Amino acid sequence: NAGVTQTPKFQVLKTGQSMTLQCAQDMNHNSMYWYRQDPGMGLRLIYYSASEGTTDKGEVPNGYNVSRLNKREFSLRLESAAPSQTSVYFCASSEAFGGSQPQHFGDGTRLSIL
Amino acid sequence: RKEVEQDPGPFNVPEGATVAFNCTYSNSASQSFFWYRQDCRKEPKLLMSVYSSGNEDGRFTAQLNRASQYISLLIRDSKLSDSATYLCVVLRSASKIIFGSGTRLSIRP
């Protein structure tokens, strides 16, 4: 049982390049999330998808776009990468949205923007 | 001021010791509370939910104090494998999920 799978695990980009981070979950969860984690800071929510067909902005959405492709997959796109987007990105899923639902995380994508 | 604050540590304690740390939150409308554990360069994993009545899971005890707006985590008989960063998570609403920056715990032999 893979849980939440993120690809790629590492990526180096040049400023201005674009890329898409992929996330897939096999737990039949309804809700999915994208976070970034920077040193000395907690995880910050970028975007979330409460259910298939919906997406909403989180705390730090600027510079990102998302697509909930189907129930399993939720991708994060950087259209024009900037050094400030250097971070570790985590995708997560939960059975339902909000409340007391625990989140299951992928093992992260380490992204460096030069 | 951050909405969720944790002492970054590190807490360095001997194996077998009892250690406790707190997490304070500023918004009284916060609804749900969790402790997650994150090992170095790994993903966060849910450790336990925190209930008003307090809850225990083996060597771990979590407490919520709504009046003073903090949650706590107590680890008894600490093991080397407990070394990790412990993240406090507060749900202010369905879409407001706030992670603390974590408390680093190191257990020494």
Side-chain angles (χ1 to χ4, degrees), chain B residues 1-2 4-5 9 25 29 43 45 47-48 52 56 64-65 70 74 77 84 86 91-92 94-96 98 109:
Chain B
R1 185 188 170 195
K2 293 180 182 177
V4 174
E5 299 215 52
Y25 60 95
E43 75 275 20
K45 292 183 179 178
L47 180 66
M48 57 199 305
S52 295
E56 191 173 308
L64 166 63
N65 186 317
Y70 72 88
L74 177 81
D77 187 23
Y86 290 84
L91 267 65
R92 179 150 50 87
S95 62
K96 294 295 183 185
I98 315 295

Side-chain angles (χ1 to χ4, degrees), chain A residues 37 48 97 99 102-103 106 110, chain B residues 36 38 41 43 46 91 94-95:
Chain A
Q37 185 174 35
Y48 65 93
F97 186 62
Q103 297 188 17
R110 284 162 177 75
Chain B
Y36 279 72
Q38 186 173 26
R41 299 182 68 81
E43 75 275 20
L46 178 68
L91 267 65
S95 62

Side-chain angles (χ1 to χ4, degrees), chain A residues 10 33 35 37 40-43 45 48 90 97-103 105-107 110, chain B residues 2 31-32 34 36 38 41-46 49 87 91 94-95 97-101:
Chain A
F10 302 94
Y33 313 81
Y35 293 90
Q37 185 174 35
M41 304 185 72
L43 278 77
L45 184 63
Y48 65 93
F90 287 102
F97 186 62
S100 60
Q101 301 299 320
Q103 297 188 17
F105 286 81
D107 54 9
R110 284 162 177 75
Chain B
K2 293 180 182 177
Q31 301 172 353
S32 303
F34 305 89
Y36 279 72
Q38 186 173 26
R41 299 182 68 81
K42 298 284 190 179
E43 75 275 20
K45 292 183 179 178
L46 178 68
S49 302
L87 308 176
L91 267 65
S95 62
I97 306 165
I98 315 295
F99 279 75
S101 53

Side-chain angles (χ1 to χ4, degrees), chain B residues 9 39 62:
Chain B
D39 293 298

Side-chain angles (χ1 to χ4, degrees), chain B:
Chain B
R1 185 188 170 195
K2 293 180 182 177
E3 184 165 347
V4 174
E5 299 215 52
Q6 295 185 251
D7 182 339
F11 286 64
N12 190 329
V13 302
E15 198 173 4
T18 295
V19 60
F21 28 84
N22 292 340
C23 163
T24 59
Y25 60 95
S26 60
N27 194 309
S28 59
S30 299
Q31 301 172 353
S32 303
F33 307 87
F34 305 89
W35 283 105
Y36 279 72
R37 169 198 170 122
Q38 186 173 26
D39 293 298
C40 186
R41 299 182 68 81
K42 298 284 190 179
E43 75 275 20
K45 292 183 179 178
L46 178 68
L47 180 66
M48 57 199 305
S49 302
V50 187
Y51 305 117
S52 295
S53 55
N55 48 301
E56 191 173 308
D57 183 2
R59 299 180 293 108
F60 297 83
T61 301
Q63 296 276 357
L64 166 63
N65 186 317
R66 284 195 183 273
S68 300
Q69 295 184 198
Y70 72 88
I71 66 173
S72 64
L73 180 67
L74 177 81
I75 306 174
R76 290 181 299 278
D77 187 23
S78 53
K79 311 292 184 190
L80 295 175
S81 57
D82 294 334
S83 296
T85 297
Y86 290 84
L87 308 176
C88 164
V89 180
V90 174
L91 267 65
R92 179 150 50 87
S93 68
S95 62
K96 294 295 183 185
I97 306 165
I98 315 295
F99 279 75
S101 53
T103 296
R104 203 150 54 92
L105 174 64
S106 178
I107 309 297
R108 62 180 188 269

